[in-house]
Amino acid sequence: MSKKIILSGIQATGRLTLGNYLGAIDNWLTMQEEYECYYMIANLHSLTVRNDPEVLKNNTLKILATYIAAGLNPEKNTLFIQSQVSEHAELGWILDCYTYMGELSRMTQFKDKSQKHSDNINAGLFTYPALMAADILLYQADLVPVGEDQRQHLEITRDLAERFNKIYGETFVIPEAYVRKESARIMGLQDPTSKMSKSATNLNDVIFLEDEPEVILKKFKKAVTDSENKVKFDPENKPGVSNLMQIYAAITNKTMEQIEQEFDGKGYGDFKITVANSVIEKLKPIQDKYQELLNNKEYLEKIYLKGAQEAKKIASKTLRDVKDKIGIL
Ligand code: TRP
């Protein structure tokens, strides 16, 4: 029996955060044995905002280095850069022509991002979901591990696949979102009511995977809590403390009850330092490996070229089938 296919990706814009690691990459590690996995760096999606070209190039490599440093084995997973498999852009265009303006304008991410970048509401930002659908459908992915915020994009992907299949016959596998309930949703340290975001303006809100130990400690010490001085899991009334507990739980695999007991009678000061140290310790080997990889660009190049070649094998087959069906020579 063949393995189920997984595809996911992270945009190449901005530096990766503890949220990206605990919420996404760390989960991917558990899937590499059981599934056939494709992980890409969505650098074409990054063009929907303005980037410094050098920074974009570097970020692309940094994300690849993070994937590997975090433990994604390039022998077992296909790791590739979206732009290097030209089928993505091609199928993206084709799917644009099967996507309605109405459904695209209902996307919450489009609405949010147009508000944030009101000086650059470009057509790419609008058709972003069709390109994402192409990413997924090219590989006939069964499952797409994503955060809650991407669920709507998965829905439109499924709608597009079904629409296409209905007109032209079985072409695409209908993918499912793989949003793990227990997977960590890490919130900002300064604003624990919204997701930790790599584009946050307050740098104390975010732990970047590249942060030095002293910086991590400092940011945790400054994390917003409350005045009760009691470590208790209550996201509604104690969002700050609950978020720190989530982080600690994700890293140590302890339950909330265990954590509450561990810090019973202790103040937030101790608690914050313990959480910070757990993060520092967890990230240390990843950071070391990451630096080593970034100093070895030749190796990274070898991995992404091999990844693109493997990805292209599958993607080109799907695209050929699509073209044949719609009458594109
Ligand atoms: N839109 C996703 C995000 O911002 C990134 C992404 C692009 C993606 N293409 C994808 C995720 C395909 C899963 C599958 O998080």
Side-chain angles (χ1 to χ4, degrees):
M1 243 191 51
S2 59
K3 291 181 176 177
K4 285 204 168 177
I5 297 176
I6 286 212
L7 178 130
S8 197
I10 295 182
Q11 273 206 56
T13 330
R15 293 180 287 165
L16 291 185
T17 70
L18 185 65
N20 294 123
Y21 174 66
L22 293 177
I25 303 173
D26 197 38
N27 286 328
W28 299 353
L29 301 186
T30 60
M31 302 170 183
Q32 47 191 350
E33 308 295 337
E34 204 177 329
Y35 301 98
E36 182 178 331
C37 302
Y38 294 83
Y39 296 115
M40 57 168 213
I41 300 143
N43 61 341
L44 293 176
H45 279 112
S46 301
L47 298 177
T48 54
V49 297
R50 290 272 178 276
N51 297 280
D52 177 302
E54 281 309 311
V55 172
L56 179 56
K57 261 192 232 172
N58 276 327
N59 270 342
T60 306
L61 291 181
K62 282 178 169 185
I63 294 180
L64 178 64
T66 307
Y67 283 177
I68 302 168
L72 284 179
N73 180 345
E75 302 296 324
K76 285 192 186 147
N77 303 274
T78 303
L79 309 178
F80 68 101
I81 300 170
Q82 184 186 31
S83 62
Q84 296 192 333
V85 182
S86 56
E87 283 79 358
H88 290 250
E90 283 191 71
L91 184 62
W93 166 254
I94 293 172
L95 292 179
D96 277 349
C97 302
Y98 292 83
T99 315
Y100 302 116
M101 304 280 283
E103 54 194 348
L104 289 173
S105 45
R106 285 195 291 274
M107 295 289 119
T108 31
Q109 186 167 305
F110 173 68
K111 290 187 227 166
D112 288 352
K113 289 199 175 169
S114 344
Q115 251 176 13
K116 268 197 206 145
H117 307 278
S118 55
D119 55 336
N120 182 19
I121 306 177
N122 57 69
L125 194 62
F126 192 61
T127 60
Y128 184 114
L131 179 60
M132 181 160 159
D135 299 337
I136 296 165
L137 300 178
L138 277 174
Y139 299 90
Q140 308 290 358
D142 298 287
L143 295 171
V144 184
V146 283
E148 199 56 60
D149 62 324
Q150 294 297 314
R151 209 187 259 283
Q152 208 183 17
H153 288 160
L154 246 293
E155 281 308 313
I156 197 172
T157 301
R158 290 166 57 89
D159 291 346
L160 283 172
E162 276 165 11
R163 185 172 304 157
F164 196 98
N165 286 352
K166 209 161 162 201
I167 308 175
Y168 301 103
E170 279 310 301
T171 309
F172 297 124
V173 168
I174 312 295
E176 266 177 57
Y178 189 55
V179 183
R180 292 209 321 184
K181 286 219 180 49
E182 71 273 29
S183 92
R185 181 170 156 81
I186 306 300
M187 314 301 269
L189 297 185
Q190 292 298 315
D191 175 8
T193 58
S194 59
K195 191 175 132 178
M196 183 181 281
S197 158
K198 50 189 174 181
S199 50
T201 39
N202 181 351
L203 294 184
N204 283 327
D205 202 46
V206 190
I207 302 289
F208 293 105
L209 291 183
E210 286 181 331
D211 280 346
E212 302 276 346
E214 312 81 72
V215 177
I216 296 178
L217 184 61
K218 207 179 76 202
K219 287 181 179 175
F220 274 107
K221 282 186 175 170
K222 285 192 181 147
V224 166
T225 48
D226 52 63
S227 55
E228 201 187 1
N229 216 26
K230 185 173 168 57
V231 176
K232 186 168 152 257
F233 191 66
D234 180 359
E236 192 84 354
N237 300 306
K238 296 165 73 70
V241 170
S242 302
N243 184 39
L244 295 178
M245 290 177 78
Q246 290 265 25
I247 293 174
Y248 191 54
I251 286 185
T252 60
N253 286 323
K254 291 180 183 170
T255 65
M256 292 305 166
E257 294 79 56
Q258 286 171 324
I259 299 173
E260 284 171 2
Q261 265 176 18
E262 182 177 344
F263 296 97
D264 189 29
K266 293 186 188 149
Y268 289 160
D270 275 353
F271 173 54
K272 286 178 171 180
I273 292 172
T274 308
V275 177
N277 283 333
S278 74
V279 171
I280 291 167
E281 240 172 79
K282 177 83 182 180
L283 293 187
K284 177 81 170 76
I286 298 174
Q287 290 177 329
D288 290 347
K289 179 86 196 181
Y290 170 79
Q291 282 309 334
E292 192 188 307
L293 287 164
L294 282 183
N295 289 330
N296 191 350
K297 296 265 157 55
E298 271 168 42
Y299 173 75
L300 289 179
E301 190 183 27
K302 219 175 81 193
I303 298 297
Y304 70 65
L305 290 178
K306 180 174 85 100
Q309 219 175 32
E310 282 169 18
K312 220 175 164 68
K313 269 191 228 151
I314 316 282
S316 61
K317 243 166 94 187
T318 306
L319 183 65
R320 187 63 262 161
D321 182 31
V322 167
K323 284 181 172 173
D324 286 345
K325 284 181 166 147
I326 62 178
I328 293 294
L329 288 178

